[in-house]
CSV table of all heavy atoms in Angstrom, one decimal:
chain,number,residue,atom,x,y,z
A,852,MET,N,-76.3,-155.7,-80.4
A,852,MET,CA,-77.4,-156.5,-80.8
A,852,MET,C,-77.5,-156.6,-82.4
A,852,MET,O,-77.7,-155.6,-83.0
A,852,MET,CB,-78.7,-155.8,-80.4
A,852,MET,CG,-80.0,-156.6,-80.8
A,852,MET,SD,-80.5,-157.6,-79.6
A,852,MET,CE,-82.1,-158.2,-80.2
A,853,VAL,N,-77.2,-157.9,-82.9
A,853,VAL,CA,-77.2,-158.0,-84.3
A,853,VAL,C,-78.6,-158.3,-84.8
A,853,VAL,O,-79.4,-159.0,-84.2
A,853,VAL,CB,-76.4,-159.2,-84.7
A,853,VAL,CG1,-76.3,-159.4,-86.2
A,853,VAL,CG2,-75.0,-159.1,-84.0
A,854,LYS,N,-79.0,-157.6,-86.0
A,854,LYS,CA,-80.4,-157.7,-86.6
A,854,LYS,C,-80.2,-157.8,-88.1
A,854,LYS,O,-79.3,-157.4,-88.7
A,854,LYS,CB,-81.2,-156.5,-86.2
A,854,LYS,CG,-81.8,-156.5,-84.9
A,854,LYS,CD,-82.8,-155.4,-84.9
A,854,LYS,CE,-82.9,-154.7,-83.5
A,854,LYS,NZ,-83.7,-153.5,-83.6
A,855,ILE,N,-81.3,-158.4,-88.7
A,855,ILE,CA,-81.3,-158.4,-90.1
A,855,ILE,C,-82.5,-157.5,-90.6
A,855,ILE,O,-83.5,-157.6,-90.1
A,855,ILE,CB,-81.6,-159.8,-90.6
A,855,ILE,CG1,-80.6,-160.9,-90.2
A,855,ILE,CG2,-81.7,-159.9,-92.2
A,855,ILE,CD1,-79.2,-160.8,-90.8
A,856,ASP,N,-82.2,-156.6,-91.6
A,856,ASP,CA,-83.2,-156.0,-92.4
A,856,ASP,C,-83.7,-156.8,-93.4
A,856,ASP,O,-83.1,-157.0,-94.5
A,856,ASP,CB,-82.8,-154.7,-92.8
A,856,ASP,CG,-83.8,-153.8,-93.5
A,856,ASP,OD1,-84.8,-154.4,-93.9
A,856,ASP,OD2,-83.6,-152.5,-93.6
A,857,LYS,N,-84.8,-157.5,-93.2
A,857,LYS,CA,-85.4,-158.5,-94.1
A,857,LYS,C,-85.8,-157.9,-95.5
A,857,LYS,O,-85.8,-158.6,-96.5
A,857,LYS,CB,-86.6,-159.3,-93.5
A,857,LYS,CG,-86.1,-160.0,-92.2
A,857,LYS,CD,-86.4,-161.5,-92.2
A,857,LYS,CE,-86.0,-162.0,-90.7
A,857,LYS,NZ,-85.9,-163.4,-90.8
A,858,GLU,N,-86.1,-156.6,-95.5
A,858,GLU,CA,-86.4,-155.9,-96.7
A,858,GLU,C,-85.1,-155.8,-97.6
A,858,GLU,O,-85.3,-156.0,-98.8
A,858,GLU,CB,-86.9,-154.6,-96.5
A,858,GLU,CG,-88.1,-154.4,-95.6
A,858,GLU,CD,-89.3,-154.8,-96.3
A,858,GLU,OE1,-89.6,-154.3,-97.3
A,858,GLU,OE2,-90.1,-155.7,-95.8
A,859,LYS,N,-84.0,-155.7,-97.0
A,859,LYS,CA,-82.7,-155.5,-97.8
A,859,LYS,C,-82.0,-156.8,-98.0
A,859,LYS,O,-81.2,-156.9,-98.9
A,859,LYS,CB,-81.8,-154.5,-97.0
A,859,LYS,CG,-82.3,-153.2,-97.0
A,859,LYS,CD,-81.1,-152.4,-96.3
A,859,LYS,CE,-81.4,-150.9,-96.2
A,859,LYS,NZ,-80.4,-150.1,-95.5
A,860,CYS,N,-82.3,-157.9,-97.3
A,860,CYS,CA,-81.7,-159.2,-97.4
A,860,CYS,C,-81.9,-159.8,-98.8
A,860,CYS,O,-83.0,-159.9,-99.1
A,860,CYS,CB,-82.0,-160.1,-96.3
A,860,CYS,SG,-81.3,-161.8,-96.5
A,861,LEU,N,-80.8,-160.1,-99.5
A,861,LEU,CA,-80.9,-160.7,-100.9
A,861,LEU,C,-80.9,-162.3,-100.8
A,861,LEU,O,-81.2,-162.9,-101.8
A,861,LEU,CB,-79.8,-160.3,-101.8
A,861,LEU,CG,-79.5,-158.7,-101.8
A,861,LEU,CD1,-78.2,-158.5,-102.5
A,861,LEU,CD2,-80.7,-158.0,-102.4
A,862,GLY,N,-80.9,-162.8,-99.6
A,862,GLY,CA,-80.9,-164.2,-99.5
A,862,GLY,C,-79.7,-165.0,-100.1
A,862,GLY,O,-79.8,-166.1,-100.5
A,863,CYS,N,-78.5,-164.3,-100.1
A,863,CYS,CA,-77.4,-164.9,-100.8
A,863,CYS,C,-76.8,-166.0,-100.0
A,863,CYS,O,-76.1,-166.8,-100.4
A,863,CYS,CB,-76.4,-163.8,-101.1
A,863,CYS,SG,-75.5,-163.2,-99.5
A,864,GLY,N,-77.0,-166.0,-98.7
A,864,GLY,CA,-76.4,-167.0,-97.7
A,864,GLY,C,-75.0,-166.8,-97.2
A,864,GLY,O,-74.5,-167.7,-96.5
A,865,MET,N,-74.4,-165.7,-97.7
A,865,MET,CA,-73.1,-165.5,-97.2
A,865,MET,C,-72.9,-165.4,-95.8
A,865,MET,O,-71.9,-166.0,-95.3
A,865,MET,CB,-72.5,-164.3,-98.0
A,865,MET,CG,-71.0,-164.2,-97.8
A,865,MET,SD,-70.5,-162.6,-98.5
A,865,MET,CE,-71.2,-161.5,-97.2
A,866,CYS,N,-73.7,-164.8,-95.1
A,866,CYS,CA,-73.6,-164.6,-93.6
A,866,CYS,C,-73.7,-165.9,-92.9
A,866,CYS,O,-73.0,-166.2,-92.0
A,866,CYS,CB,-74.6,-163.7,-93.1
A,866,CYS,SG,-76.3,-164.0,-93.6
A,867,VAL,N,-74.5,-166.8,-93.5
A,867,VAL,CA,-74.7,-168.2,-92.9
A,867,VAL,C,-73.4,-168.9,-93.1
A,867,VAL,O,-72.9,-169.6,-92.2
A,867,VAL,CB,-75.9,-168.9,-93.5
A,867,VAL,CG1,-76.1,-170.3,-92.9
A,867,VAL,CG2,-77.2,-168.1,-93.3
A,868,SER,N,-72.8,-168.9,-94.3
A,868,SER,CA,-71.5,-169.6,-94.5
A,868,SER,C,-70.4,-169.1,-93.7
A,868,SER,O,-69.5,-169.8,-93.1
A,868,SER,CB,-71.1,-169.4,-96.1
A,868,SER,OG,-72.1,-169.7,-96.8
A,869,MET,N,-70.4,-167.8,-93.5
A,869,MET,CA,-69.3,-167.1,-92.7
A,869,MET,C,-69.4,-167.3,-91.2
A,869,MET,O,-68.4,-167.4,-90.5
A,869,MET,CB,-69.1,-165.6,-93.1
A,869,MET,CG,-68.4,-165.4,-94.5
A,869,MET,SD,-68.3,-163.7,-94.8
A,869,MET,CE,-67.0,-163.1,-93.9
A,870,CYS,N,-70.6,-167.1,-90.7
A,870,CYS,CA,-70.9,-167.2,-89.3
A,870,CYS,C,-72.1,-168.1,-89.0
A,870,CYS,O,-73.2,-167.6,-88.6
A,870,CYS,CB,-71.1,-165.8,-88.6
A,870,CYS,SG,-70.1,-164.4,-89.2
A,871,PRO,N,-71.9,-169.4,-89.2
A,871,PRO,CA,-73.1,-170.2,-88.9
A,871,PRO,C,-73.6,-170.3,-87.5
A,871,PRO,O,-74.7,-170.8,-87.3
A,871,PRO,CB,-72.5,-171.7,-89.4
A,871,PRO,CG,-71.0,-171.5,-89.3
A,871,PRO,CD,-70.7,-170.1,-89.6
A,872,ASP,N,-72.8,-169.8,-86.6
A,872,ASP,CA,-73.3,-169.8,-85.3
A,872,ASP,C,-74.1,-168.6,-85.0
A,872,ASP,O,-74.8,-168.5,-83.9
A,872,ASP,CB,-72.1,-170.0,-84.2
A,872,ASP,CG,-71.0,-169.0,-84.5
A,872,ASP,OD1,-71.0,-168.4,-85.6
A,872,ASP,OD2,-70.2,-168.8,-83.7
A,873,VAL,N,-74.1,-167.6,-85.8
A,873,VAL,CA,-74.9,-166.4,-85.6
A,873,VAL,C,-76.1,-166.3,-86.6
A,873,VAL,O,-77.2,-165.9,-86.2
A,873,VAL,CB,-74.1,-165.2,-86.0
A,873,VAL,CG1,-74.9,-163.9,-85.7
A,873,VAL,CG2,-72.7,-165.2,-85.1
A,874,PHE,N,-75.9,-166.8,-87.9
A,874,PHE,CA,-77.1,-166.6,-88.8
A,874,PHE,C,-77.5,-168.0,-89.3
A,874,PHE,O,-76.8,-169.0,-89.3
A,874,PHE,CB,-76.6,-165.9,-90.0
A,874,PHE,CG,-76.1,-164.5,-89.6
A,874,PHE,CD1,-74.6,-164.3,-89.6
A,874,PHE,CD2,-76.9,-163.5,-89.4
A,874,PHE,CE1,-74.1,-163.0,-89.3
A,874,PHE,CE2,-76.4,-162.1,-89.1
A,874,PHE,CZ,-75.0,-162.0,-89.0
A,875,GLU,N,-78.8,-168.0,-89.8
A,875,GLU,CA,-79.5,-169.2,-90.4
A,875,GLU,C,-80.4,-168.6,-91.4
A,875,GLU,O,-80.9,-167.4,-91.3
A,875,GLU,CB,-80.3,-169.9,-89.2
A,875,GLU,CG,-80.4,-171.3,-89.5
A,875,GLU,CD,-81.1,-171.9,-88.1
A,875,GLU,OE1,-82.4,-171.8,-88.1
A,875,GLU,OE2,-80.4,-172.5,-87.3
A,876,MET,N,-80.7,-169.4,-92.5
A,876,MET,CA,-81.7,-168.9,-93.4
A,876,MET,C,-83.1,-169.3,-92.8
A,876,MET,O,-83.3,-170.3,-92.2
A,876,MET,CB,-81.6,-169.6,-94.7
A,876,MET,CG,-80.3,-169.4,-95.4
A,876,MET,SD,-79.7,-167.7,-95.4
A,876,MET,CE,-80.8,-167.0,-96.7
A,877,ASP,N,-84.1,-168.2,-93.0
A,877,ASP,CA,-85.5,-168.6,-92.5
A,877,ASP,C,-86.2,-169.3,-93.6
A,877,ASP,O,-85.8,-169.5,-94.7
A,877,ASP,CB,-86.0,-167.4,-91.9
A,877,ASP,CG,-86.5,-166.4,-93.0
A,877,ASP,OD1,-86.5,-166.7,-94.2
A,877,ASP,OD2,-86.8,-165.2,-92.6
A,878,GLU,N,-87.5,-169.6,-93.2
A,878,GLU,CA,-88.3,-170.3,-94.2
A,878,GLU,C,-88.7,-169.5,-95.5
A,878,GLU,O,-89.1,-170.0,-96.5
A,878,GLU,CB,-89.7,-170.7,-93.5
A,878,GLU,CG,-90.5,-169.7,-92.9
A,878,GLU,CD,-90.0,-169.1,-91.6
A,878,GLU,OE1,-89.0,-169.6,-91.1
A,878,GLU,OE2,-90.6,-168.2,-91.0
A,879,ASN,N,-88.4,-168.2,-95.5
A,879,ASN,CA,-88.6,-167.3,-96.6
A,879,ASN,C,-87.4,-167.1,-97.4
A,879,ASN,O,-87.3,-166.2,-98.3
A,879,ASN,CB,-89.2,-166.0,-96.2
A,879,ASN,CG,-90.6,-166.2,-95.4
A,879,ASN,OD1,-91.4,-167.0,-96.0
A,879,ASN,ND2,-90.8,-165.5,-94.4
A,880,GLY,N,-86.3,-167.8,-97.1
A,880,GLY,CA,-85.0,-167.6,-97.8
A,880,GLY,C,-84.2,-166.3,-97.5
A,880,GLY,O,-83.4,-165.9,-98.2
A,881,LYS,N,-84.5,-165.8,-96.3
A,881,LYS,CA,-83.9,-164.6,-95.8
A,881,LYS,C,-83.1,-165.1,-94.6
A,881,LYS,O,-83.4,-166.0,-93.9
A,881,LYS,CB,-84.8,-163.5,-95.4
A,881,LYS,CG,-85.9,-163.2,-96.5
A,881,LYS,CD,-85.4,-162.1,-97.4
A,881,LYS,CE,-86.4,-161.7,-98.4
A,881,LYS,NZ,-86.0,-160.5,-99.2
A,882,ALA,N,-82.0,-164.3,-94.3
A,882,ALA,CA,-81.2,-164.7,-93.1
A,882,ALA,C,-81.9,-164.2,-91.8
A,882,ALA,O,-82.8,-163.3,-91.8
A,882,ALA,CB,-79.9,-163.8,-93.2
A,883,LYS,N,-81.7,-165.1,-90.8
A,883,LYS,CA,-82.2,-164.6,-89.5
A,883,LYS,C,-81.1,-164.8,-88.4
A,883,LYS,O,-80.1,-165.7,-88.7
A,883,LYS,CB,-83.4,-165.4,-89.1
A,883,LYS,CG,-83.2,-166.9,-88.8
A,883,LYS,CD,-84.5,-167.5,-88.2
A,883,LYS,CE,-84.3,-168.9,-88.0
A,883,LYS,NZ,-85.5,-169.7,-87.7
A,884,VAL,N,-81.1,-164.1,-87.4
A,884,VAL,CA,-80.2,-164.2,-86.3
A,884,VAL,C,-80.5,-165.2,-85.3
A,884,VAL,O,-81.7,-165.2,-84.8
A,884,VAL,CB,-80.0,-162.8,-85.6
A,884,VAL,CG1,-79.0,-162.8,-84.5
A,884,VAL,CG2,-79.5,-161.8,-86.6
A,885,ILE,N,-79.5,-166.2,-85.0
A,885,ILE,CA,-79.9,-167.3,-84.0
A,885,ILE,C,-79.2,-167.1,-82.7
A,885,ILE,O,-79.5,-167.7,-81.8
A,885,ILE,CB,-79.7,-168.7,-84.7
A,885,ILE,CG1,-78.3,-168.7,-85.3
A,885,ILE,CG2,-80.8,-168.9,-85.7
A,885,ILE,CD1,-77.9,-170.2,-85.6
A,886,SER,N,-78.1,-166.3,-82.7
A,886,SER,CA,-77.3,-166.1,-81.4
A,886,SER,C,-76.7,-164.6,-81.6
A,886,SER,O,-76.3,-164.2,-82.6
A,886,SER,CB,-76.4,-167.1,-81.3
A,886,SER,OG,-75.3,-166.8,-80.5
A,887,GLN,N,-76.5,-164.1,-80.4
A,887,GLN,CA,-75.9,-162.8,-80.3
A,887,GLN,C,-74.5,-163.0,-79.8
A,887,GLN,O,-73.8,-162.0,-79.4
A,887,GLN,CB,-76.6,-161.9,-79.2
A,887,GLN,CG,-78.0,-161.5,-79.7
A,887,GLN,CD,-78.0,-160.6,-80.9
A,887,GLN,OE1,-77.1,-159.9,-81.3
A,887,GLN,NE2,-79.1,-160.6,-81.6
A,888,LYS,N,-74.0,-164.3,-79.7
A,888,LYS,CA,-72.7,-164.5,-79.1
A,888,LYS,C,-71.5,-164.2,-79.8
A,888,LYS,O,-70.4,-163.8,-79.3
A,888,LYS,CB,-72.7,-166.0,-78.6
A,888,LYS,CG,-73.6,-166.1,-77.4
A,888,LYS,CD,-73.4,-167.5,-76.8
A,888,LYS,CE,-74.5,-167.6,-75.6
A,888,LYS,NZ,-75.2,-169.0,-75.7
A,889,ASN,N,-71.5,-164.4,-81.2
A,889,ASN,CA,-70.3,-164.1,-81.9
A,889,ASN,C,-70.4,-162.9,-82.7
A,889,ASN,O,-70.3,-162.8,-83.9
A,889,ASN,CB,-70.0,-165.3,-82.8
A,889,ASN,CG,-68.6,-165.4,-83.4
A,889,ASN,OD1,-67.9,-164.3,-83.3
A,889,ASN,ND2,-68.3,-166.4,-84.1
A,890,THR,N,-70.4,-161.7,-82.0
A,890,THR,CA,-70.6,-160.4,-82.7
A,890,THR,C,-69.4,-160.0,-83.5
A,890,THR,O,-69.6,-159.3,-84.5
A,890,THR,CB,-71.0,-159.4,-81.7
A,890,THR,OG1,-70.3,-159.4,-80.6
A,890,THR,CG2,-72.6,-159.4,-81.4
A,891,PRO,N,-68.2,-160.4,-83.1
A,891,PRO,CA,-67.0,-160.0,-84.0
A,891,PRO,C,-67.2,-160.6,-85.4
A,891,PRO,O,-67.0,-159.8,-86.4
A,891,PRO,CB,-65.8,-160.6,-83.3
A,891,PRO,CG,-66.2,-160.7,-81.9
A,891,PRO,CD,-67.7,-161.0,-81.9
A,892,CYS,N,-67.7,-161.8,-85.5
A,892,CYS,CA,-67.9,-162.4,-86.8
A,892,CYS,C,-69.0,-161.7,-87.5
A,892,CYS,O,-68.9,-161.4,-88.7
A,892,CYS,CB,-68.2,-163.8,-86.6
A,892,CYS,SG,-68.4,-164.8,-88.2
A,893,ALA,N,-70.1,-161.4,-86.8
A,893,ALA,CA,-71.3,-160.7,-87.4
A,893,ALA,C,-70.9,-159.3,-87.9
A,893,ALA,O,-71.2,-158.8,-89.0
A,893,ALA,CB,-72.3,-160.5,-86.4
A,894,LYS,N,-70.0,-158.6,-87.2
A,894,LYS,CA,-69.4,-157.3,-87.6
A,894,LYS,C,-68.7,-157.4,-89.0
A,894,LYS,O,-68.8,-156.6,-89.8
A,894,LYS,CB,-68.5,-156.8,-86.6
A,894,LYS,CG,-68.9,-155.5,-86.0
A,894,LYS,CD,-68.1,-155.0,-84.9
A,894,LYS,CE,-68.9,-154.0,-84.3
A,894,LYS,NZ,-69.0,-153.6,-83.1
A,895,GLU,N,-67.9,-158.4,-89.1
A,895,GLU,CA,-67.1,-158.6,-90.2
A,895,GLU,C,-68.0,-158.9,-91.4
A,895,GLU,O,-67.8,-158.3,-92.5
A,895,GLU,CB,-66.2,-159.7,-90.0
A,895,GLU,CG,-64.8,-159.7,-90.9
A,895,GLU,CD,-63.9,-160.9,-90.5
A,895,GLU,OE1,-63.6,-160.9,-89.3
A,895,GLU,OE2,-63.6,-161.6,-91.4
A,896,VAL,N,-68.9,-159.7,-91.2
A,896,VAL,CA,-69.8,-160.1,-92.4
A,896,VAL,C,-70.7,-159.0,-92.7
A,896,VAL,O,-71.1,-158.8,-93.9
A,896,VAL,CB,-70.7,-161.4,-92.1
A,896,VAL,CG1,-71.8,-161.3,-91.2
A,896,VAL,CG2,-71.1,-162.1,-93.4
A,897,ALA,N,-71.1,-158.1,-91.7
A,897,ALA,CA,-71.9,-156.9,-92.0
A,897,ALA,C,-71.3,-156.1,-93.0
A,897,ALA,O,-72.0,-155.4,-93.9
A,897,ALA,CB,-72.2,-156.2,-90.7
A,898,GLU,N,-69.9,-156.0,-93.0
A,898,GLU,CA,-69.2,-155.1,-94.0
A,898,GLU,C,-69.2,-155.7,-95.4
A,898,GLU,O,-69.2,-154.9,-96.4
A,898,GLU,CB,-67.8,-154.9,-93.5
A,898,GLU,CG,-67.7,-154.0,-92.4
A,898,GLU,CD,-66.3,-154.0,-91.8
A,898,GLU,OE1,-65.3,-154.3,-92.4
A,898,GLU,OE2,-66.2,-153.5,-90.6
A,899,SER,N,-69.4,-157.0,-95.5
A,899,SER,CA,-69.4,-157.5,-96.9
A,899,SER,C,-70.9,-158.0,-97.3
A,899,SER,O,-71.0,-158.5,-98.5
A,899,SER,CB,-68.4,-158.8,-97.0
A,899,SER,OG,-68.0,-159.2,-95.7
A,900,CYS,N,-71.9,-157.9,-96.5
A,900,CYS,CA,-73.2,-158.2,-96.9
A,900,CYS,C,-73.6,-157.4,-98.2
A,900,CYS,O,-73.6,-156.2,-98.2
A,900,CYS,CB,-74.1,-157.9,-95.8
A,900,CYS,SG,-75.9,-158.0,-96.3
A,901,PRO,N,-74.0,-158.0,-99.3
A,901,PRO,CA,-74.3,-157.3,-100.5
A,901,PRO,C,-75.5,-156.5,-100.4
A,901,PRO,O,-75.7,-155.5,-101.2
A,901,PRO,CB,-74.4,-158.5,-101.6
A,901,PRO,CG,-74.7,-159.7,-100.8
A,901,PRO,CD,-74.0,-159.5,-99.4
A,902,GLY,N,-76.4,-156.8,-99.5
A,902,GLY,CA,-77.6,-156.0,-99.3
A,902,GLY,C,-77.5,-155.0,-98.2
A,902,GLY,O,-78.5,-154.2,-98.0
A,903,GLU,N,-76.4,-154.9,-97.6
A,903,GLU,CA,-76.1,-154.1,-96.4
A,903,GLU,C,-77.3,-154.2,-95.4
A,903,GLU,O,-77.9,-153.3,-94.9
A,903,GLU,CB,-76.0,-152.6,-96.8
A,903,GLU,CG,-74.7,-152.4,-97.6
A,903,GLU,CD,-74.5,-151.0,-98.0
A,903,GLU,OE1,-75.3,-150.0,-97.6
A,903,GLU,OE2,-73.5,-150.6,-98.7
A,904,ALA,N,-77.7,-155.5,-95.2
A,904,ALA,CA,-78.9,-155.9,-94.5
A,904,ALA,C,-78.6,-156.2,-93.0
A,904,ALA,O,-79.6,-156.4,-92.2
A,904,ALA,CB,-79.6,-157.0,-95.1
A,905,ILE,N,-77.2,-156.2,-92.7
A,905,ILE,CA,-77.0,-156.7,-91.3
A,905,ILE,C,-76.8,-155.4,-90.5
A,905,ILE,O,-75.9,-154.6,-90.7
A,905,ILE,CB,-75.8,-157.6,-91.2
A,905,ILE,CG1,-76.0,-158.9,-92.1
A,905,ILE,CG2,-75.4,-158.0,-89.8
A,905,ILE,CD1,-74.8,-159.7,-92.3
A,906,ILE,N,-77.5,-155.2,-89.4
A,906,ILE,CA,-77.4,-154.1,-88.5
A,906,ILE,C,-76.8,-154.6,-87.3
A,906,ILE,O,-77.3,-155.6,-86.6
A,906,ILE,CB,-78.8,-153.6,-88.2
A,906,ILE,CG1,-79.6,-153.4,-89.5
A,906,ILE,CG2,-78.8,-152.3,-87.4
A,906,ILE,CD1,-81.1,-153.4,-89.4
A,907,GLU,N,-75.7,-153.8,-86.8
A,907,GLU,CA,-75.1,-154.4,-85.6
A,907,GLU,C,-74.8,-153.1,-84.8
A,907,GLU,O,-74.9,-152.0,-85.3
A,907,GLU,CB,-73.9,-155.3,-85.7
A,907,GLU,CG,-73.1,-155.0,-87.0
A,907,GLU,CD,-72.1,-153.9,-86.9
A,907,GLU,OE1,-71.7,-153.5,-85.7
A,907,GLU,OE2,-71.7,-153.4,-87.8
B,1877,SF4,S1,-75.1,-161.8,-96.4
B,1877,SF4,FE1,-76.7,-160.1,-96.3
B,1877,SF4,S2,-77.9,-160.4,-98.2
B,1877,SF4,FE2,-76.8,-162.3,-97.8
B,1877,SF4,S3,-78.2,-163.6,-96.7
B,1877,SF4,FE3,-76.9,-162.6,-95.2
B,1877,SF4,S4,-78.0,-160.7,-94.7
B,1877,SF4,FE4,-79.0,-161.5,-96.5
């Protein structure tokens, strides 16, 4: 189950660029999870997230 820690998210948008089928920016400029289907991609981006905000 992929989740975003909104407190830690820096709003850089990298996860959205890397996995657009998993992440989207919300109305507050933080990432949000829109699908649990592509977890390998989410796992990869979790390692490079600058805020370490992606929990999987
Ligand atoms: S890569 Fe990390 S810090 Fe950047 S928008 Fe996604 S969750 Fe937020």
Side-chain angles (χ1 to χ4, degrees):
M852 176 94 177
V853 183
K854 280 195 211 164
I855 303 286
D856 183 335
K857 302 235 179 194
E858 301 284 309
K859 288 187 176 173
C860 174
L861 307 172
C863 71
M865 190 187 70
C866 55
V867 179
S868 316
M869 282 179 76
C870 314
D872 51 347
V873 179
F874 303 102
E875 208 174 80
M876 298 314 282
D877 71 12
E878 59 281 0
N879 301 314
K881 307 274 181 168
K883 74 172 176 188
V884 177
I885 51 166
S886 159
Q887 298 291 337
K888 286 190 185 131
N889 194 353
T890 44
C892 187
K894 234 175 200 146
E895 207 176 302
V896 77
E898 284 168 23
S899 13
C900 167
E903 296 183 1
I905 303 171
I906 308 152
E907 33 78 25

